[in-house]
Amino acid sequence: MDQKQLIKWAFTLSLITIIYNLIEGVVSTLFGAQDETLALFGFGVDSFAEVLSGIGIAHMILRMKSSAIETHDSFEVTALRITGVALYILAGGLVVGAILAFIYQAEPSTTMAGIIISTLSILTMYFLYSEKLKVGKKLNSEPIISDAKCTKTCFYLSFILLGSSLIYELFHIPYIDAIGSLGIAWYAWSEGKESFEKAYTKKLSCSDDCC
């Protein structure tokens, strides 16, 4: 593929990311609320935050069609700040929810939905990460490589949900769902911090391999 085709494929991947996270967010929050599983509900809310971030990435790739870019523009900075706020709120809410779950000894009715959704997410995020990384390297584009690394974070997040959901479903260990939600809260806080750092510096790249 030539450069034009590669950028088009990168944009398509960004659209897939947005659509998938939107569907994942709706399904996860619905089942999370229905089954009273805090980890799945938090995972779903994080997916909505990823939609906001994905819109900023899609906008950035569209700008690449006309010229090389070096910093985020005002639209992308606003998207990053909104994403950061949403992720901070999510992290705080999950911590409070986990504390209440410990106090009131709340447990989910089932975590089967979490197992299915996280498995699908692992497969999807691995595909997106691999393809974004390939395109980014072929274009020698740090922004797209950076986006691929951020997708890898979602890949790891899915493993946290899968682990907590699978352990609870098999062994019904008390509070494992709450512990899993704390793991998601930590990732949400880290992602939120990274979003604000990018908005402040307007840099296109992540500070490390997992932004």
Side-chain angles (χ1 to χ4, degrees), residues 28-183:
S28 296
T29 51
L30 286 176
F31 275 99
Q34 176 183 301
D35 299 336
E36 298 182 345
T37 162
L38 189 58
L40 180 57
F41 185 83
F43 184 79
V45 177
D46 182 81
S47 296
F48 286 129
E50 295 300 331
V51 169
L52 295 173
S53 177
I55 291 172
I57 294 297
H59 174 78
M60 179 191 69
I61 294 173
L62 282 177
R63 288 199 294 134
M64 290 176 62
K65 289 185 176 182
S66 57
S67 62
I69 59 174
E70 296 181 358
T71 60
H72 289 292
D73 67 5
S74 59
F75 177 88
E76 292 155 16
V77 168
T78 300
L80 285 168
R81 287 173 177 163
I82 294 173
T83 301
V85 170
L87 288 168
Y88 276 162
I89 293 173
L90 170 60
L94 287 175
V95 170
V96 172
I99 292 172
L100 292 174
F102 278 107
I103 293 174
Y104 294 105
Q105 300 181 349
E107 295 183 24
S109 57
T110 177
T111 55
M112 183 57 68
I115 295 172
I116 296 171
I117 292 170
S118 59
T119 301
L120 289 173
S121 182
I122 287 170
L123 296 173
T124 304
M125 291 303 138
Y126 180 76
F127 164 74
L128 289 171
Y129 164 70
S130 300
E131 288 301 308
K132 288 177 181 180
L133 194 61
K134 289 177 185 176
V135 173
K137 288 181 177 179
K138 288 179 180 178
L139 288 171
N140 194 27
S141 171
E142 184 60 32
I144 295 177
I145 293 174
S146 174
D147 182 39
K149 292 176 180 178
C150 292
T151 300
K152 187 168 69 172
T153 299
C154 300
F155 177 68
Y156 292 149
L157 197 62
S158 302
F159 275 104
I160 293 179
L161 176 62
L162 178 61
S164 63
S165 299
L166 193 59
I167 291 171
Y168 183 82
E169 195 66 28
L170 291 175
F171 306 108
H172 290 277
I173 297 176
Y175 312 124
I176 193 67
D177 179 65
I179 293 172
S181 71
L182 289 176

